Amino acid sequence: MNVFSTLLARDLKLAIRQSADSLTVVAFFAIATVLFPFGVGPETNVLERISGGVLWVTALLAALLSLDRIFTVDYEDGTLDQLVLTGQPLSIVVLAKITAHWLTTGVPLLIVSPLLAVTLHLPTAGYAPLLLALLLGTPTVSLVGAVGAALVLGTRRGGVLLSLLVLPLYIPVLIFGAMAVEAATTGRSATPELLVLAGFAVLAVTLCPWATAAAVRQAVE
Amino acid sequence: MKIANAIFPWAAGLAVLLFAVGLPIALVTSPPDYQQGETVRILYLHVPAAVMGEMIYYAMASGSAAYLIWRHPMAGLVAKASAPVGAMFTALCLICGMLWGEPMWGTFWVWDARLTSTLIMFFIYLGYIALGDAFEDPERGDRAAAILALVGVVNVPIIKFSVNWWNTLHQPASLSLTKSNMSGEMLLPLFLMMGAYGMFYVTVLVIRVRSELLAAKIRNARMSQIAGNEAAQAIG
C-alpha cells in the first residue's frame, strides 16, 4: 500500500505542477459540447433530448485525449523501466497511476459537467443521475483507457490508434451512462443503470490493472 | 506445421467442393421463401459469415492466450493470421445484412442489437490488426495485440449485453425476423455453405501462417547478413 500512496502522491504533484494539462482536457470537454448546439440548432426541446448523450460522448472523447498522459512521459524518460525493476507488484503501481489520472481528469470533468448541462438545457431531474453516472463511470473510463494507453507505448501513431482500440470498449459505459440520464428525465428510476455502471467499475478495477501491468511489462521488456 | 501441411490439401479441396456444390443449391435450386421470396438466398451467405466472424474471434483469443501463457510462437501466428480473415467475414456479414435489410425492412441499416454488436465487433478486429502492425519490432506487436484480443474477449459479452439493453429500451422489437422452423431444403444449403466457409478459413489460415513463417525467416536471414557484414568490416 506504501507503493500505492507514494506513487499517487508523486503523480498528483506532477499533475498539479503541470495543471495546464488537466485544464486543456476540461477546455476540450467544454468546446466540444458547445459545438453541438451549432450542429443541431438551438431549439430547447432538441437540446433537452440529446443533452445527456452529448455530455457523455464529449466526456469520453476528452478522457480519451488525456489517456496518453498516464504512461507516455514515464515511458520516454525511463521512469517506467525503473518502476518495473523495483520489483513491487506492477498492478498496484499501475493502479496508483490510474487513480491519479482519474483524480486529475475524471473529477474535473465531473465538476464542470453541470455547468455544461445548463447550456444544453438538461431537465432538472437529470442533474443528480448525470453526476452519479459520471462518478461511477469515469473510473471505468480511466481503467479501460489505461490498458489501451499501455498497449500503444512505443508505437508511431499512438493517439489515433488508441482511439480505435479504446472507443469500442467504452460503448457499454456510454450506453448506461446516457441511459441513466435519460431514465431520470423521462420519469423512470435511474437506479438500474447506475447499479450496472457500479458493476462495470468493480469489474474494471479487478481486471484492468492486471491487463495494464501485462501491457506495461511487454512494453519495457 | 506438419499437421497444417497434411490438412492443407484436404481443407482446400473440401472448400472448393463445398463451394461448388453449396453455391448453386443456395443461389439457384433451393426453394424461395414463401414470405421473403428470392431474397432469402442472401441468408446462405449472411448467416455463415456471421457465425465465422464470431468463431474466428474466439479462435484468435484462444491463440493469443496460448501465446501469452505458454509463449508458443505458433499460437501467436495463428491468432495473427486469423484476424484479417475474421474481419473479412464480419464485413461480408454486415454488407450482406445491409443488402438483405433493404428489401426486407425497407432500409439498409437499423440500430438493431445484432447489427450493432456486429459492427462493434468489426471495429475490435480493426483495432487488433492496427495494433499488431503499429510496432517496428513485429514481436512486440504480436504480444500487444494478444493482450488486446484477451481484453476484447472479456468485453464482447459485456458489449452484447449493453447493446441489447439499449436496444430493447429504444426500439420495440418490430424488426426481428419471424424465425419459423427451417425446412430441410433450406438447412442443406445452409450447412453446405457453413462448411465451405469453415474450410475456406482453414485454407487461408494455413497459407497465411506459412507466409508469416517465411517472412520471419527472411527477416532473420537479413539480420544475420547485416550482422555478418558488420563483423567482416570490423575485422577488415
Side-chain angles (χ1 to χ4, degrees), chain A residues 151 153 155-156 165 172 179 221, chain B residues 127 134-135 140 143 162 169:
Chain A
L151 282 175
L153 285 176
T155 55
R156 278 153 294 173
L165 302 189
M179 295 273 284
E221 235 170 42
Chain B
F135 294 91
R140 263 212 64 194
R143 262 178 292 150
S162 312
L169 279 181

Side-chain angles (χ1 to χ4, degrees), chain B residues 112-133:
Chain B
D112 165 76
R114 267 183 299 176
L115 268 74
T116 314
S117 13
T118 310
L119 182 66
I120 298 169
M121 187 86 168
F122 181 61
F123 285 126
I124 293 180
Y125 268 123
L126 289 188
Y128 176 92
I129 297 170
L131 184 65
D133 285 341

Side-chain angles (χ1 to χ4, degrees), chain B residues 46-188:
Chain B
H46 174 76
V47 173
V51 173
M52 289 309 293
E54 201 150 321
M55 254 176 47
I56 293 175
Y57 192 86
Y58 291 115
M60 203 172 91
S62 333
S64 302
Y67 177 59
L68 286 176
I69 297 168
W70 296 291
R71 299 262 157 156
H72 196 300
M74 204 55 170
L77 276 181
V78 168
K80 191 181 177 189
S82 294
V85 192
M88 192 275 292
F89 274 124
T90 315
L92 178 70
C93 167
L94 284 169
I95 293 168
C96 288
M98 286 168 84
L99 293 177
W100 196 9
E102 215 284 321
M104 286 297 95
W105 299 336
T107 168
F108 283 109
W109 185 262
V110 286
W111 290 97
D112 165 76
R114 267 183 299 176
L115 268 74
T116 314
S117 13
T118 310
L119 182 66
I120 298 169
M121 187 86 168
F122 181 61
F123 285 126
I124 293 180
Y125 268 123
L126 289 188
Y128 176 92
I129 297 170
L131 184 65
D133 285 341
F135 294 91
E136 298 198 342
D137 172 11
E139 216 174 290
R140 263 212 64 194
D142 290 355
R143 262 178 292 150
I147 295 175
L148 182 71
L150 291 185
V151 173
V153 89
V154 174
N155 258 285
V156 165
I158 299 177
I159 290 173
K160 287 209 163 145
F161 159 74
S162 312
V163 170
N164 272 328
W165 178 302
W166 166 76
N167 185 256
T168 43
L169 279 181
H170 273 280
Q171 267 190 0
S174 57
L175 294 174
S176 69
L177 286 173
T178 44
K179 274 271 178 245
S180 51
N181 288 326
M182 279 192 187
S183 69
E185 285 162 316
M186 283 175 76
L187 280 178
L188 174 71

Side-chain angles (χ1 to χ4, degrees), chain A residues 147-219:
Chain A
V147 183
L151 282 175
V152 299
L153 285 176
T155 55
R156 278 153 294 173
R157 42 185 196 287
V160 190
L161 184 60
L162 185 58
S163 59
L164 186 59
L165 302 189
V166 163
L167 285 180
L169 305 181
Y170 280 169
I171 289 171
V173 178
L174 171 63
I175 288 177
F176 284 96
M179 295 273 284
V181 181
E182 198 188 315
T185 53
T186 52
R188 226 163 28 82
S189 160
T191 318
E193 279 86 0
L194 292 174
L195 287 177
V196 173
L197 280 176
F200 285 162
V202 170
L203 195 66
V205 89
T206 327
L207 295 178
C208 289
W210 187 57
T212 314
V216 167
R217 192 164 279 130
Q218 62 92 23

